[in-house]
Amino acid sequence: MAFDLDYNTLEKEFEELTSLAARVAGTEVSLLNLIDLYTQWTVAGHGFPMVQTPRENSVCQYTILEQDHFEVKNLQEDERFKDLAGVKDGQMLRYYFGVPLRTPDGHNVGSLCVLDRNEVTLSADKIDLLKALAHEIVKRLVLLKEVRLLHSELTESRTVNKRVAHDVRGPIGGIMGLTKRLIQKEGMSSPEEVLKISQMIHKSSASLLALADEILLPNQLPTAQPEIKDGMTLASFKEALEQLFLPQATEKAISFVVHINEALRDITFTKTRLMQIVVNLVSNALKFTPPLGEISVYLDFTLTQNNRVLQIQVQDTGIGLSQDQVKAILKGQTPSTCGTQGELGYGMGLQLVQQLLAGLNGKLGVESTPGQGSTFELAIPIGTVLYSV
């Protein structure tokens, strides 16, 4: 069992148990040591400096090889230990008694030991108490590991929740805008207009559900190019983006157009994380483009024998970025700001794009002029591509 804990932060957790071990044994020194392949880490100690020691220069390396305990009556007369620090100098320690710290799966990961400058005789009761303390230390180490894992899972859960809220907020706003139009024009819209808006709401909602499914997939990205079972084409990618963002663009009176290379429209490729990436870029473009502005998305491939790359460009006529802001984006240091109509920002979008791109070995380029707009260019390796039939 690997505890994967920061040993430098554990002293307060174990100082009472370590001090109690010295009182039980009646010794000057007690130490709690955890040992890996190369190093002995003194996690907590009483009566002796807490030090980091090479494993081969420790007494406890012998303790963890035992099933019950390891005792040395006189360290100064033992060829293995007489030249160790603290034995030949310093406190001139003589007596050693150590109990291995055995995990529930049967591995010895360290020791609880007591030492003294004089020879000590421990009674059976004292030995049993030291073993009980060693068992309690292991139980606490296991508990600390479980708490750490729970904290990590909770943090990840909160991050996923924030991503979902961030990525779906804009599309939901667009859908709400369309339904608001229907309500405000109740009795005045033609059946054809009502049907058209209803179909747009339905398609946008379906794309929104697909986006939510992608966000909620396990975060581990494949280490190799997966077999394409549920992929997409440039044509289907375009359709999904239009369904997702036309309602929001319509509500804000922004022109939203998706262009594709028609010659390569039917190439199938894996869609892993692509919707999340582009959704964040388009959401940002909608957020920072004023009414009557324009947003264009371009989807294309660079196809050679050994280099197959998906090219994505998101271009807007929004408020633009300064060079300092562009540098901050490329460094993953984008602060949260409000949109042209007061849309809230959460400081996650572009940072998430950078994170997802890194997992896909993709690259991001940004060109922008304040007051004129921005262009985000993505290059994402897609591995083997297939032509749909």
Side-chain angles (χ1 to χ4, degrees):
M1 173 183 290
F3 290 109
D4 194 22
L5 298 170
D6 183 355
Y7 296 158
N8 295 319
T9 65
L10 296 180
E11 182 180 5
K12 290 185 178 180
E13 292 287 343
F14 295 101
E15 60 183 355
E16 291 184 1
L17 291 176
T18 308
S19 179
L20 181 57
R23 292 200 298 271
V24 166
T27 57
E28 302 172 64
V29 175
S30 61
L31 299 172
L32 167 55
N33 296 317
L34 296 179
I35 302 175
D36 59 27
L37 288 175
Y38 307 104
T39 309
Q40 173 179 284
W41 306 83
T42 300
V43 172
H46 173 82
F48 194 84
M50 291 177 55
V51 294
Q52 174 184 329
T53 306
R55 175 170 173 160
E56 63 269 19
N57 294 340
S58 71
V59 184
C60 291
Q61 63 171 314
Y62 293 92
T63 302
I64 63 172
L65 301 177
E66 299 293 334
Q67 292 296 312
D68 192 80
H69 69 269
F70 180 67
E71 184 179 34
V72 181
K73 289 291 186 179
N74 194 330
L75 296 167
Q76 298 172 11
E77 295 180 353
D78 193 307
E79 290 293 330
R80 296 170 295 179
F81 313 122
K82 67 178 184 179
D83 293 325
L84 296 181
V87 175
K88 72 173 182 178
D89 53 20
Q91 291 178 259
M92 302 290 289
L93 295 170
R94 183 170 181 175
Y95 178 75
Y96 172 94
F97 183 93
V99 179
L101 301 176
R102 184 172 295 109
T103 63
D105 55 4
H107 291 91
N108 292 343
V109 295
S111 71
L112 172 65
C113 63
V114 294
L115 302 98
D116 202 273
R117 285 180 292 180
N118 299 304
E119 187 174 323
V120 176
T121 300
L122 297 178
S123 66
D125 289 341
K126 289 184 177 182
I127 292 174
D128 288 341
L129 284 173
L130 290 173
K131 292 178 181 178
L133 287 174
H135 183 65
E136 181 61 31
I137 287 170
V138 172
K139 287 171 60 178
R140 193 169 296 187
L141 284 169
V142 172
L143 179 61
L144 286 171
K145 177 184 179 181
E146 292 175 349
V147 168
R148 180 182 178 279
L149 289 174
L150 286 173
H151 182 268
S152 176
E153 291 173 0
L154 179 60
T155 300
E156 177 61 26
S157 176
R158 287 173 176 168
T159 300
V160 171
N161 289 341
K162 287 180 180 178
R163 287 180 184 175
V164 174
H166 177 272
D167 290 359
V168 305
R169 187 178 182 86
I172 288 176
I175 294 171
M176 290 178 65
L178 289 174
T179 57
K180 182 180 178 181
R181 285 172 55 188
L182 284 178
I183 294 171
Q184 289 176 340
K185 298 179 65 175
E186 183 180 3
M188 296 182 288
S189 301
S190 66
E192 291 78 12
E193 184 180 4
V194 172
L195 178 60
K196 181 179 179 180
I197 294 177
S198 298
Q199 288 174 336
M200 192 179 296
I201 291 173
H202 176 74
K203 290 180 179 180
S204 185
S205 299
S207 293
L208 188 57
L209 284 175
L211 172 63
D213 286 341
E214 180 175 316
I215 296 170
L216 294 171
L217 283 173
N219 288 326
Q220 291 82 3
L221 293 169
T223 54
Q225 187 70 21
E227 181 183 352
I228 300 174
K229 297 180 179 179
D230 185 23
M232 67 194 322
T233 63
L234 292 184
S236 64
F237 202 176
K238 172 184 177 179
E239 182 181 8
L241 291 174
E242 289 174 341
Q243 291 173 357
L244 205 54
F245 289 109
L246 273 177
Q248 190 177 352
T250 301
E251 175 65 16
K252 199 173 178 181
I254 292 175
S255 169
F256 177 70
V257 183
V258 181
H259 306 271
I260 64 172
N261 183 341
E262 291 291 341
L264 303 176
R265 61 176 284 124
D266 294 324
I267 289 180
T268 302
F269 53 95
T270 180
K271 63 182 182 181
T272 303
R273 304 303 185 214
L274 293 180
M275 280 297 292
Q276 274 184 273
I277 291 170
V278 180
V279 160
N280 274 282
L281 291 178
V282 176
S283 292
N284 268 355
L286 284 166
K287 177 179 170 183
F288 294 110
T289 299
L292 305 182
E294 299 177 359
I295 297 174
S296 300
V297 179
Y298 298 87
L299 305 175
D300 200 354
F301 287 113
T302 298
L303 300 179
T304 63
Q305 183 174 0
N306 299 315
N307 187 26
R308 303 169 186 267
V309 180
L310 176 63
Q311 305 285 346
I312 302 172
Q313 185 182 92
V314 179
Q315 192 175 74
D316 66 62
T317 59
I319 61 177
L321 299 162
S322 68
Q323 289 304 304
D324 287 342
Q325 288 174 311
V326 170
K327 291 178 182 178
I329 288 171
L330 297 177
K331 291 180 180 179
Q333 300 172 347
T334 49
S336 174
T337 53
C338 293
T340 58
Q341 293 187 340
E343 299 96 329
L344 291 176
Y346 299 93
M348 290 187 62
L350 294 176
Q351 293 182 27
L352 180 58
V353 168
Q354 291 279 57
Q355 178 184 339
L356 294 174
L357 273 177
L360 295 173
N361 297 316
K363 295 181 180 180
L364 171 67
V366 185
E367 293 184 4
S368 187
T369 303
Q372 297 184 26
S374 304
T375 299
F376 291 81
E377 295 186 349
L378 309 177
I380 304 173
I382 58 171
T384 303
V385 296
L386 302 174
Y387 283 89
S388 298
V389 294

